[in-house]
């Protein structure tokens, strides 16, 4: 059963990307309520049908209270607020405004607003230990964790035309073992001349096709490095295969396996390629900006240790998903437990008009939903039950479903004014998925474990 709950959280993460904790809490409290009903003698299947009906009422109510926002109005304010809400409960909440800004910029720059879709493959999140969380930044281009192969090569290449190579930059090695005897200086000179000739042809091929930057998957020795430097060809070596493909896609270049195949058409183009130095440790990274045909962006996340960086990466993923959901469906519902309480009140109202035995399970569903506002109040250091009762009373008296738990103790309970809200799709998905899993678990009659068999 624990495994089912983990899978439930995973499917919410896969589908929506945010709200994974809430869905598990919801499912857990529904099961808890179901247990008390079973003890009263109500059959599990009746509970399941009651839950199903209650879920429909809840989803309908959540969709009713949703407000449609204009996501592009005044500098994408709605998207920023939603991303800030998603980051508010995470470890990085101290820097939520800055990270929300980064996440909104990243998603909007790769979003296809006509099709209302976002391709997450174009957002690359690079983590770098060292520095502060505030140093995290959005770079409009691709970041490669490498530096130029020669320290004296120029640090910035403007209007770059790059040759992307997967062939080693060295003379070919014979496959068989052989021994070469050099008796005189002339022989040595001939050998040296031959080797130089290889390098010259290779560099000539690069020069002829008009490249002014070489990106190579393999290494090259000092000889080649020196020649490249003399010919004013900045080069990067040991670039990984995945990064190479990303660079090729973004710059519109082709990956070239042999020097003979280099042509001007196969070169990738970018506005600038520059080397950035991070922190005091002189860690270098290459940034490829203004790529020819792609909107790829990279978020560089900094942090004091690996754990902070990983955590920040995960939180950014959640915020990105939240922004994407709003681009897909611009309806928002209140956070702060307000939408759960509104749904809970409408279920209780529906249960009162229900004549069958389902009314009990519907009320239980409503009680289960109250767990979320209670948990929020408790985490904010308020008295859980008192705060929730006050909010419910306020929602009923004012008929405004946007009143929620005032976690920040600002004195305002209206979540719209506090700008705490999340995507409507996320909340509806949470309710539906949690109900389905609980129904599934209720249909399990008995669990036979191997330990029971051994005892018998």
């Amino acid at each position: 059963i624990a495994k089912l709950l983990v899978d439930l959280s995973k499917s919410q993460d896969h589908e929506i990307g945010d709200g994974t904790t809430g869905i598990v809490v919801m499912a857990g409290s529904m099961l808890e309520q179901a247990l008390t009903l079973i003890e009263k003698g109500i059959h599990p299947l009746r509970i399941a049908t009651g839950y199903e009906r209650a879920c429909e009422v809840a989803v309908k109510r959540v969709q009713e209270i949703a407000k449609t926002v204009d996501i592009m109005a005044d500098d994408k304010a709605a998207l920023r607020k939603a991303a800030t809400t998603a980051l508010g409960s995470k470890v990085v909440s101290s820097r939520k405004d800055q990270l929300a800004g980064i996440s909104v910029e990243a998603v909007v720059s790769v979003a296809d607003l006509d099709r209302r879709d976002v391709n997450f493959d174009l957002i690359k999140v690079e983590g770098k230990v060292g520095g502060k969380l505030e140093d995290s930044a959005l770079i409009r281009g691709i970041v490669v964790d490498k530096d130029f192969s020669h320290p004296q090569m120029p640090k910035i290449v403007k209007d770059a035309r790059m040759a992307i190579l997967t062939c080693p930059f060295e003379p070919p090695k014979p496959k068989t073992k052989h021994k070469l005897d050099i008796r005189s200086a002339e022989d040595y000179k001939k050998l040296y001349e031959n080797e130089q000739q290889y390098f010259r042809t290779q560099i000539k091929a690069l020069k002829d096709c008009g490249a002014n930057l070489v990106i190579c998957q393999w290494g090259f020795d000092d000889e080649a490095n020196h020649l490249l430097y003399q010919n004013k060809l900045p080069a990067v070596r040991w670039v990984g295969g995945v990064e190479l493909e990303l660079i090729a896609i973004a710059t519109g270049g082709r990956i070239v396996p042999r020097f003979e195949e280099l042509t001007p058409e196969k070169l990738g183009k970018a506005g600038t390629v520059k080397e950035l130095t991070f922190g005091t440790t002189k860690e270098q990274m290459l940034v490829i900006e203004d790529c020819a045909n792609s909107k790829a962006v990279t978020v560089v996340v900094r942090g004091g240790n690996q754990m902070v960086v990983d955590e920040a990466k995960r939180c950014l993923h959640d915020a990105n998903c939240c922004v994407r959901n709003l681009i897909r469906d611009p309806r928002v519902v209140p956070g702060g437990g307000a939408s759960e309480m509104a749904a809970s009140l409408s279920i209780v109202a529906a249960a009162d008009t229900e004549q069958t035995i389902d009314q009990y399970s519907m009320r239980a569903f409503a009680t289960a939903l109250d767990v979320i506002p209670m948990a929020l109040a408790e985490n904010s250091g308020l008295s859980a039950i008192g705060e929730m009762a006050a909010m419910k009373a306020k929602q009923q008296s004012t008929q405004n479903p946007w009143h929620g738990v005032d976690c920040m103790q600002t004195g305002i309970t209206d979540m719209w004014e506090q700008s705490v809200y999340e995507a409507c799709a996320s909340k509806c998905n949470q309710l539906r998925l949690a109900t389905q899993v609980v129904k599934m678990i209720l249909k399990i009659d008995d669990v036979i474990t191997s330990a029971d068999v051994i005892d018998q």
Side-chain angles (χ1 to χ4, degrees), residues 281-384:
T281 48
K282 294 280 178 286
E283 289 202 7
Q284 278 127 351
M285 278 181 148
L286 279 183
V287 180
I288 303 173
E289 291 178 325
D290 307 330
C291 301
N293 67 346
S294 136
K295 304 188 278 189
V297 294
T298 307
V299 181
V300 179
V301 179
R302 311 299 310 279
N305 56 18
Q306 194 58 47
M307 196 191 90
V308 174
V309 173
D310 292 344
E311 189 58 37
K313 276 184 175 178
R314 259 202 26 247
C315 301
L316 269 173
H317 170 72
D318 278 8
N320 287 349
C321 291
C322 188
V323 176
R324 175 199 56 188
N325 295 335
L326 271 187
I327 289 176
R328 280 189 181 168
D329 175 4
R331 291 176 303 166
V332 292
V333 292
S339 38
E340 282 86 357
M341 277 189 277
S344 158
L345 288 171
S346 68
I347 292 171
V348 171
D352 290 343
T353 59
E354 180 62 49
Q355 262 122 48
T356 59
I357 201 166
D358 283 351
Q359 56 178 308
Y360 293 106
S361 42
M362 285 169 81
R363 285 204 184 93
F365 190 96
T367 320
L369 285 182
D370 291 344
V371 165
I372 296 227
M374 274 164 75
L376 282 173
E378 203 171 310
N379 290 348
S380 313
L382 306 163
S383 82

Side-chain angles (χ1 to χ4, degrees), residues 39-114:
E39 282 167 359
K40 282 182 186 168
I42 299 176
H43 193 274
L45 286 181
R46 295 311 305 250
I47 301 175
T49 50
Y51 271 10
E52 180 65 16
R53 292 175 64 175
C55 176
E56 280 165 21
V57 174
V59 169
K60 191 165 155 239
R61 177 67 178 147
V62 167
Q63 285 173 343
E64 277 169 16
I65 64 174
K67 295 188 183 182
T68 303
V69 287
D70 180 3
I71 48 176
M72 287 302 165
D74 58 348
D75 195 22
K76 316 184 197 43
L79 293 179
R80 277 171 205 275
K81 287 174 187 167
T84 314
T85 308
L87 291 167
S89 60
K90 306 277 191 291
V91 179
V92 294
S93 55
S94 56
R95 294 273 160 273
K96 60 183 179 190
D97 292 341
Q98 183 200 359
L99 289 175
I102 290 179
S103 133
V104 170
E105 285 299 312
V107 176
V108 171
S109 52
V110 300
D112 183 343
L113 292 174
D114 307 331

Side-chain angles (χ1 to χ4, degrees), residues 221-429:
D221 50 18
D222 298 341
E223 192 88 27
N225 206 353
H226 183 67
L227 277 169
L228 281 167
Y229 167 61
Q230 276 186 333
N231 282 289
K232 296 193 172 44
L233 273 173
V236 188
R237 54 184 164 185
W238 299 121
V239 178
V242 181
E243 290 171 330
L244 216 62
E245 283 175 18
L246 234 172
I247 294 171
I249 294 168
T251 58
R254 299 288 295 275
I255 296 177
V256 182
R258 289 208 303 271
F259 280 99
E260 293 78 48
E261 294 180 14
L262 271 171
T263 56
E265 292 80 60
K266 291 186 179 174
L267 298 181
K269 293 176 184 56
T272 47
V273 177
K274 60 184 177 193
E275 192 178 282
L276 293 182
T277 309
F278 282 107
T280 47
T281 48
K282 294 280 178 286
E283 289 202 7
Q284 278 127 351
M285 278 181 148
L286 279 183
V287 180
I288 303 173
E289 291 178 325
D290 307 330
C291 301
N293 67 346
S294 136
K295 304 188 278 189
V297 294
T298 307
V299 181
V300 179
V301 179
R302 311 299 310 279
N305 56 18
Q306 194 58 47
M307 196 191 90
V308 174
V309 173
D310 292 344
E311 189 58 37
K313 276 184 175 178
R314 259 202 26 247
C315 301
L316 269 173
H317 170 72
D318 278 8
N320 287 349
C321 291
C322 188
V323 176
R324 175 199 56 188
N325 295 335
L326 271 187
I327 289 176
R328 280 189 181 168
D329 175 4
R331 291 176 303 166
V332 292
V333 292
S339 38
E340 282 86 357
M341 277 189 277
S344 158
L345 288 171
S346 68
I347 292 171
V348 171
D352 290 343
T353 59
E354 180 62 49
Q355 262 122 48
T356 59
I357 201 166
D358 283 351
Q359 56 178 308
Y360 293 106
S361 42
M362 285 169 81
R363 285 204 184 93
F365 190 96
T367 320
L369 285 182
D370 291 344
V371 165
I372 296 227
M374 274 164 75
L376 282 173
E378 203 171 310
N379 290 348
S380 313
L382 306 163
S383 82
I385 297 177
E387 193 66 26
M388 193 193 69
M391 282 308 102
K392 269 196 170 169
K394 198 157 191 180
Q395 277 203 16
Q396 275 173 317
S397 60
T398 57
Q399 290 299 309
N400 176 7
W402 278 74
H403 284 299
V405 179
D406 176 18
C407 294
M408 298 312 229
Q409 277 126 27
T410 50
I412 321 166
T413 52
D414 190 334
M415 291 292 136
W416 182 255
E417 283 174 35
Q418 270 204 33
S419 57
V420 175
Y421 45 74
E422 52 188 327
C424 175
S426 165
K427 194 52 81 191
C428 298
N429 210 39

